[in-house]
Short mmCIF file of all heavy atoms in Angstrom, two decimals:
data_model
loop_
_atom_site.label_atom_id
_atom_site.label_comp_id
_atom_site.label_asym_id
_atom_site.label_seq_id
_atom_site.Cartn_x
_atom_site.Cartn_y
_atom_site.Cartn_z
N SER A 1 95.79 -5.38 64.77
CA SER A 1 95.89 -4.20 63.91
C SER A 1 95.18 -3.06 64.62
O SER A 1 94.58 -3.24 65.67
CB SER A 1 95.28 -4.46 62.53
OG SER A 1 93.91 -4.82 62.64
N GLY A 2 95.29 -1.88 64.03
CA GLY A 2 94.66 -0.72 64.65
C GLY A 2 95.70 0.30 65.08
O GLY A 2 96.86 0.27 64.68
N ARG A 3 95.24 1.21 65.90
CA ARG A 3 96.06 2.31 66.41
C ARG A 3 96.01 2.22 67.93
O ARG A 3 94.97 2.47 68.54
CB ARG A 3 95.48 3.64 65.92
CG ARG A 3 96.03 4.87 66.57
CD ARG A 3 95.33 6.11 66.03
NE ARG A 3 95.75 7.31 66.72
CZ ARG A 3 95.41 8.55 66.35
NH1 ARG A 3 94.62 8.72 65.31
NH2 ARG A 3 95.83 9.59 67.03
N PHE A 4 97.14 1.87 68.56
CA PHE A 4 97.06 1.54 69.98
C PHE A 4 98.42 1.48 70.64
O PHE A 4 99.45 1.39 69.97
CB PHE A 4 96.40 0.17 70.15
CG PHE A 4 97.18 -0.96 69.54
CD1 PHE A 4 98.17 -1.62 70.25
CD2 PHE A 4 96.96 -1.35 68.22
CE1 PHE A 4 98.91 -2.65 69.68
CE2 PHE A 4 97.69 -2.38 67.64
CZ PHE A 4 98.67 -3.03 68.37
N TRP A 5 98.42 1.52 71.96
CA TRP A 5 99.50 0.94 72.76
C TRP A 5 98.88 -0.05 73.72
O TRP A 5 97.71 0.08 74.09
CB TRP A 5 100.36 1.99 73.46
CG TRP A 5 99.69 2.90 74.47
CD1 TRP A 5 99.41 4.21 74.32
CD2 TRP A 5 99.27 2.56 75.81
NE1 TRP A 5 98.83 4.73 75.45
CE2 TRP A 5 98.75 3.74 76.38
CE3 TRP A 5 99.30 1.39 76.57
CZ2 TRP A 5 98.22 3.77 77.68
CZ3 TRP A 5 98.77 1.42 77.85
CH2 TRP A 5 98.24 2.59 78.40
N LEU A 6 99.67 -1.02 74.10
CA LEU A 6 99.18 -2.15 74.91
C LEU A 6 100.18 -2.45 76.01
O LEU A 6 101.39 -2.48 75.78
CB LEU A 6 99.00 -3.37 74.00
CG LEU A 6 98.78 -4.75 74.66
CD1 LEU A 6 97.43 -4.80 75.35
CD2 LEU A 6 98.88 -5.84 73.60
N ALA A 7 99.69 -2.65 77.23
CA ALA A 7 100.54 -3.02 78.36
C ALA A 7 99.96 -4.22 79.07
O ALA A 7 98.76 -4.26 79.36
CB ALA A 7 100.67 -1.85 79.33
N ILE A 8 100.80 -5.22 79.33
CA ILE A 8 100.38 -6.40 80.08
C ILE A 8 101.42 -6.62 81.17
O ILE A 8 102.62 -6.63 80.90
CB ILE A 8 100.28 -7.65 79.18
CG1 ILE A 8 99.23 -7.43 78.09
CG2 ILE A 8 99.95 -8.90 80.01
CD1 ILE A 8 99.15 -8.54 77.07
N ILE A 9 100.97 -6.78 82.41
CA ILE A 9 101.90 -7.05 83.50
C ILE A 9 101.46 -8.31 84.25
O ILE A 9 100.28 -8.62 84.36
CB ILE A 9 102.01 -5.87 84.49
CG1 ILE A 9 100.64 -5.52 85.09
CG2 ILE A 9 102.62 -4.67 83.83
CD1 ILE A 9 100.75 -4.49 86.21
N GLY A 10 102.47 -9.07 84.70
CA GLY A 10 102.21 -10.27 85.47
C GLY A 10 101.88 -11.47 84.63
O GLY A 10 101.42 -12.49 85.14
N GLY A 11 102.09 -11.42 83.33
CA GLY A 11 101.80 -12.56 82.46
C GLY A 11 103.05 -13.38 82.24
O GLY A 11 103.71 -13.85 83.17
N LYS A 12 103.44 -13.55 80.96
CA LYS A 12 104.63 -14.32 80.63
C LYS A 12 105.89 -13.57 81.04
O LYS A 12 106.93 -14.17 81.31
CB LYS A 12 104.66 -14.61 79.13
CG LYS A 12 103.40 -15.31 78.62
CD LYS A 12 103.39 -15.33 77.10
CE LYS A 12 102.08 -15.87 76.56
NZ LYS A 12 102.03 -15.85 75.09
N GLN A 13 105.79 -12.26 81.07
CA GLN A 13 106.90 -11.41 81.51
C GLN A 13 106.38 -10.58 82.69
O GLN A 13 105.17 -10.46 82.90
CB GLN A 13 107.35 -10.48 80.38
CG GLN A 13 107.83 -11.18 79.14
CD GLN A 13 109.26 -11.65 79.27
OE1 GLN A 13 110.02 -11.16 80.09
NE2 GLN A 13 109.64 -12.61 78.44
N THR A 14 107.28 -9.98 83.42
CA THR A 14 106.83 -9.08 84.47
C THR A 14 106.04 -7.94 83.86
O THR A 14 105.01 -7.52 84.37
CB THR A 14 108.04 -8.54 85.26
OG1 THR A 14 108.71 -9.65 85.87
CG2 THR A 14 107.60 -7.57 86.34
N ALA A 15 106.51 -7.41 82.71
CA ALA A 15 105.76 -6.38 81.98
C ALA A 15 106.07 -6.48 80.50
O ALA A 15 107.19 -6.82 80.10
CB ALA A 15 106.10 -5.00 82.51
N PHE A 16 105.05 -6.19 79.70
CA PHE A 16 105.15 -6.25 78.24
C PHE A 16 104.45 -5.02 77.69
O PHE A 16 103.26 -4.79 77.97
CB PHE A 16 104.48 -7.54 77.75
CG PHE A 16 104.18 -7.60 76.28
CD1 PHE A 16 105.20 -7.71 75.34
CD2 PHE A 16 102.86 -7.57 75.81
CE1 PHE A 16 104.91 -7.78 73.98
CE2 PHE A 16 102.57 -7.65 74.46
CZ PHE A 16 103.60 -7.76 73.53
N LEU A 17 105.18 -4.19 76.93
CA LEU A 17 104.62 -2.99 76.32
C LEU A 17 104.85 -3.03 74.82
O LEU A 17 105.93 -3.41 74.37
CB LEU A 17 105.30 -1.72 76.86
CG LEU A 17 105.27 -1.41 78.35
CD1 LEU A 17 106.08 -0.15 78.62
CD2 LEU A 17 103.85 -1.22 78.82
N VAL A 18 103.86 -2.59 74.05
CA VAL A 18 104.05 -2.51 72.59
C VAL A 18 103.01 -1.55 72.03
O VAL A 18 101.95 -1.35 72.65
CB VAL A 18 103.93 -3.91 71.94
CG1 VAL A 18 102.49 -4.40 71.91
CG2 VAL A 18 104.56 -3.93 70.55
N ASN A 19 103.30 -0.97 70.87
CA ASN A 19 102.30 -0.14 70.20
C ASN A 19 102.06 -0.67 68.79
O ASN A 19 102.58 -1.71 68.40
CB ASN A 19 102.71 1.34 70.20
CG ASN A 19 104.03 1.59 69.50
OD1 ASN A 19 104.68 0.66 69.01
ND2 ASN A 19 104.44 2.85 69.44
N ASP A 20 101.27 0.07 68.00
CA ASP A 20 100.92 -0.39 66.66
C ASP A 20 102.13 -0.35 65.72
O ASP A 20 103.17 0.23 66.04
CB ASP A 20 99.77 0.45 66.09
CG ASP A 20 100.10 1.93 66.03
OD1 ASP A 20 100.77 2.34 65.08
OD2 ASP A 20 99.69 2.68 66.93
N ILE A 21 101.97 -0.94 64.56
CA ILE A 21 103.12 -1.17 63.67
C ILE A 21 103.78 0.11 63.17
O ILE A 21 104.96 0.11 62.83
CB ILE A 21 102.75 -2.06 62.46
CG1 ILE A 21 101.70 -1.38 61.59
CG2 ILE A 21 102.28 -3.44 62.93
CD1 ILE A 21 101.48 -2.07 60.25
N MET A 22 103.02 1.21 63.12
CA MET A 22 103.58 2.46 62.62
C MET A 22 103.79 3.48 63.74
O MET A 22 104.21 4.61 63.47
CB MET A 22 102.68 3.07 61.53
CG MET A 22 102.44 2.14 60.36
SD MET A 22 103.94 1.54 59.55
CE MET A 22 104.37 2.96 58.56
N GLY A 23 103.50 3.10 64.96
CA GLY A 23 103.69 4.02 66.08
C GLY A 23 102.75 5.20 66.04
O GLY A 23 103.09 6.30 66.50
N ILE A 24 101.54 5.01 65.53
CA ILE A 24 100.58 6.11 65.46
C ILE A 24 100.18 6.55 66.86
O ILE A 24 100.07 7.74 67.15
CB ILE A 24 99.33 5.70 64.65
CG1 ILE A 24 99.72 5.28 63.23
CG2 ILE A 24 98.31 6.83 64.61
CD1 ILE A 24 98.58 4.71 62.41
N GLU A 25 99.97 5.58 67.73
CA GLU A 25 99.61 5.89 69.12
C GLU A 25 100.89 5.89 69.96
O GLU A 25 101.52 4.86 70.13
CB GLU A 25 98.61 4.87 69.67
CG GLU A 25 97.95 5.29 70.95
CD GLU A 25 97.05 6.51 70.80
OE1 GLU A 25 96.33 6.61 69.78
OE2 GLU A 25 97.08 7.37 71.70
N PRO A 26 101.29 7.02 70.50
CA PRO A 26 102.54 7.09 71.26
C PRO A 26 102.39 6.50 72.65
O PRO A 26 101.28 6.44 73.19
CB PRO A 26 102.81 8.59 71.34
CG PRO A 26 101.45 9.20 71.34
CD PRO A 26 100.61 8.34 70.43
N CYS A 27 103.48 6.08 73.22
CA CYS A 27 103.48 5.57 74.59
C CYS A 27 104.80 5.91 75.26
O CYS A 27 105.87 5.48 74.81
CB CYS A 27 103.27 4.05 74.61
SG CYS A 27 103.22 3.36 76.28
N PHE A 28 104.72 6.71 76.32
CA PHE A 28 105.88 7.09 77.12
C PHE A 28 105.86 6.29 78.41
O PHE A 28 104.79 6.01 78.95
CB PHE A 28 105.85 8.59 77.43
CG PHE A 28 105.86 9.47 76.22
CD1 PHE A 28 104.66 9.87 75.62
CD2 PHE A 28 107.05 9.90 75.67
CE1 PHE A 28 104.66 10.69 74.50
CE2 PHE A 28 107.06 10.72 74.54
CZ PHE A 28 105.87 11.11 73.95
#
């Protein structure tokens, strides 16, 4: 929970991007 965007690379996928449930924190 919270207000965020998150990026993970090299894990289960080459890259994984996601933000909070309401999109409060934008990510381009």
